[in-house]
Amino acid sequence: MALPAYPPKPSPGDRVAVLSPSAGLPGLFPLPYELGLERLREEYGLEPVEFPATRRMGATPRERADDIHAAFADPDVRAVVATIGGDDQITVLPLLDRALIRANPKPFFGTSDNTNLLAFLRDTGIVGYHGGSVMVELGRPGAMHPQTADSLRAALFTSGPYELRPAERFRDVDRDWADPATFAAEPETRPGTGWTWVNPGRVVEGRSWGGCLEIVGWLLMADREIAHDLSEYDDGVLFLETSEELPSATEVFRTLRSMGERGLLERFSALLMGRPKTWSFERPNGPQEAARYAAEQRAAVLRAMEVYAPDTTIVFDVDLGHTDPQLVLPYGGLVRVDGPARRITVTY
């Protein structure tokens, strides 16, 4: 099956749209936002361009759709970067002009609730990029994580293969964005634990689909941006991760079970499961509680996959989604999962 189109890449000096397709959190937390803009300019050489709803909390779905249309239609804008996620981008999807966006393909970067727009772009025939929001990754206190910075640079400016690697060090605990002291130093990190492989006896290469598991569940319920011909996903690579809302292992299992009942899980030849976020301000888990949460989630994933797709190659704790570092995955692009060599390579 033919690949969707990889849109043309920006070059240093180009203008890039900075949008809030979900929540206008730059208006509430200017510190990480302004830091992210500064890094776009100084570390990546790009000129960010804001749109009317970028800093506005409570912008309507129509206003946010208008910003998306304006960004894609502007010939001087070479890429589109989300500020952050949210929880209602699904209400924007019905308002989008698919023909306009198809006629003006551009790289789009975002995670979390931006799974909605990434799935829309894939269904439109455009490869997007799961990763690289302004406030979280570019606005990281102290400095960007080196693995995040390198992956984002490669995804922004280069085409071709890029090998993902397990985190050398990672972070799970957040700090208060409203406190200037948060940005005086880098957050504390811990040594990485590597990836865990299940059914690693083969090499899989295919188009990717997935994103934040909670958002995927909402798309399934609304029957949006899910191919009606499930052969669209045959031999592909599914990637999933969970958010800072810390869904329970039971919820994770039930969402995967629904995907299995729909016939989705069996279509993919590999699953990349993101290292779960185990801490939030609402649930500041200590090390033992965090380890228990991660273990219960892994068991839930294995339970569902053993029922619906027992031969799938699975890689746990990949640094994608709500992780630090965050590796960028091409959404709808090629991903190669080499089980015997224990390697994952994406095509940007």
Side-chain angles (χ1 to χ4, degrees), residues 181-266:
T182 291
F183 299 90
E186 287 192 51
E188 293 184 8
T189 59
R190 293 182 282 162
T193 56
W195 298 335
T196 298
W197 292 73
V198 178
N199 298 329
R202 60 179 172 170
V203 177
V204 173
E205 185 168 25
R207 292 167 54 189
S208 68
W209 183 84
C212 182
L213 183 66
E214 296 101 297
I215 311 305
V216 170
W218 300 348
L219 288 170
L220 284 164
M221 284 188 280
D223 197 23
R224 288 190 184 152
E225 308 311 323
I226 311 292
H228 292 289
D229 179 1
L230 296 184
S231 66
E232 166 73 17
Y233 307 115
D234 282 353
D235 302 318
V237 176
L238 176 65
F239 69 95
L240 298 169
E241 52 93 19
T242 51
S243 77
E244 79 284 354
E245 294 186 358
L246 309 190
S248 69
T250 299
E251 182 180 347
V252 169
F253 171 76
R254 287 172 176 169
T255 301
L256 288 168
R257 181 177 63 188
S258 295
M259 294 173 68
E261 288 294 323
R262 187 153 180 173
L264 270 171
L265 294 183
E266 67 191 53

Side-chain angles (χ1 to χ4, degrees), residues 12-152:
D14 283 343
R15 292 157 59 90
V16 297
V18 173
L19 303 183
S20 297
S22 297
L25 287 174
L28 294 182
F29 299 103
L31 295 177
Y33 178 61
E34 295 292 349
L35 179 56
L37 295 182
E38 178 183 335
R39 289 196 177 124
L40 272 176
R41 293 187 185 100
E42 299 194 2
E43 298 185 21
Y44 291 88
L46 297 168
E47 183 56 40
V49 180
E50 289 189 20
F51 285 73
T54 300
R55 298 185 190 232
R56 192 190 316 150
M57 284 295 293
T60 66
R62 171 55 68 188
E63 289 169 330
R64 286 175 276 155
D66 288 346
D67 280 2
I68 293 169
H69 293 151
F72 275 89
D74 187 338
D76 293 328
V77 166
R78 302 304 302 276
V80 182
V81 185
T83 61
I84 199 167
D87 71 356
D88 73 340
Q89 195 177 110
I90 197 168
T91 65
V92 177
L93 293 184
L95 305 176
L96 295 180
D97 185 335
R98 199 179 297 271
L100 181 152
I101 293 172
R102 183 183 291 116
N104 299 277
K106 293 173 184 178
F108 171 76
F109 292 81
T111 57
S112 194
D113 199 33
N114 293 291
T115 295
N116 287 284
L117 188 48
L118 289 164
F120 174 92
L121 291 171
R122 188 191 192 278
D123 199 41
T124 305
I126 301 170
V127 173
Y129 295 90
H130 185 270
S133 66
V134 175
M135 294 179 68
V136 182
E137 287 73 43
L138 284 155
R140 182 181 188 264
M144 292 182 70
H145 192 292
Q147 285 177 274
T148 303
D150 189 72
S151 173
L152 179 57

